[in-house]
Amino acid sequence: MSLLFPCKHPLVLQKLASLRASSTNPPEFRRLVRCLASLIAYEATADLPTRSVNVETPLGQAQGTVVADPVLIVPILRAGLGMADGVLDLIPEAEVWHIGLKRDEKTLLPEEYYQKLPTHVRDATVFIVDPMLATGGSAVHACELIKRAHPPRLKFLSLIAAPEGIARLTAAMPDVAIHVGVIDERLNDNGFIHPGLGDAGDRQFATFER
């Protein structure tokens, strides 16, 4: 069974169109990333384990449902930070851990420069978030790091993905579900998603070359 879930929601597609536009400034770009992360996470959390609880209402008791296990959000620094905020809007009680990866622009391979991860994750659902799934190198490396903590459920959330990155992540991690806003055409010669939206980190944090 395929574990690839591209989003078809009209609001997601509309906001992605705004996100791509070169005229979108960093404050609006950050707002869109945050909102899109919430919408994609809403779909990705549909199968979370639940348990029943009794809730006292003003008129008596009612049976309710709550998420049974902890949720752990792992943004890939730095571009994933904006997505983490969006998932936290949906699940404010979630824990947040971090992985810092940067891409060597010559080899296109990920280089790890920071991590703050648990040694073990018991009965938790882990969401790795990164706006772009391009070559797949960072995604695979992040999944490898997280799997050392033996989480029972691991998902990867992204806004835009290239077929090459999806293929690489699926081949290396066939049990990891991929929830993505849209799948683009391809990677260009520099390893960027085409047509994509440029560099998601620079566009969020206004760190453009001047």
Side-chain angles (χ1 to χ4, degrees):
M1 183 176 67
S2 173
L3 292 180
L4 174 62
F5 302 96
C7 187
K8 298 180 181 179
H9 197 289
L11 291 179
V12 169
L13 301 179
Q14 176 175 290
K15 292 179 187 302
L16 280 167
S18 298
L19 192 74
R20 291 182 190 270
S22 57
S23 58
T24 300
N25 61 31
E28 176 64 5
F29 192 93
R30 289 193 296 271
R31 188 191 70 80
L32 287 166
V33 167
R34 184 171 185 153
C35 184
L36 282 162
S38 293
L39 291 170
I40 292 171
Y42 178 80
E43 293 192 345
T45 53
D47 61 350
L48 289 180
T50 61
R51 60 182 175 85
S52 297
V53 296
N54 289 322
V55 179
E56 192 69 37
T57 81
L59 299 179
Q61 281 203 343
Q63 188 174 42
T65 300
V66 296
V67 174
D69 300 332
V71 172
L72 178 61
I73 307 166
V74 184
I76 298 179
L77 303 180
R78 63 183 168 146
L81 289 172
M83 286 190 69
D85 288 339
V87 183
L88 280 172
D89 288 340
L90 195 67
I91 316 169
E93 66 275 16
E95 297 180 30
V96 182
W97 298 77
H98 298 86
I99 297 174
L101 299 173
K102 63 179 181 179
R103 184 172 67 173
D104 185 302
E105 296 303 330
K106 293 183 178 179
T107 66
L108 303 183
L109 296 175
E111 296 180 349
E112 182 182 333
Y113 64 88
Y114 179 81
Q115 67 158 283
K116 182 68 174 178
L117 299 172
T119 56
H120 186 70
V121 179
R122 181 182 178 185
D123 298 330
T125 301
V126 181
F127 295 104
I128 300 176
V129 296
D130 193 2
M132 312 295 282
L133 175 54
T135 66
S138 293
V140 170
H141 188 75
C143 288
E144 289 172 345
L145 291 175
I146 293 295
K147 283 199 168 190
R148 294 176 188 173
H150 307 291
R153 292 170 298 279
L154 177 59
K155 300 189 178 191
F156 189 90
L157 277 58
S158 188
L159 305 185
I160 301 178
E164 296 91 335
I166 292 170
R168 184 171 181 180
L169 179 55
T170 300
M173 302 286 164
D175 59 332
V176 173
I178 304 170
H179 291 264
V180 61
V182 68
I183 301 171
D184 268 11
E185 297 174 11
R186 57 181 173 83
L187 294 178
N188 66 16
D189 293 339
N190 295 319
F192 279 85
I193 300 175
H194 178 85
L197 49 74
D199 188 293
D202 286 341
R203 294 196 63 185
Q204 281 188 80
F205 304 116
T207 49
F208 305 106
E209 292 290 338
R210 289 178 171 84

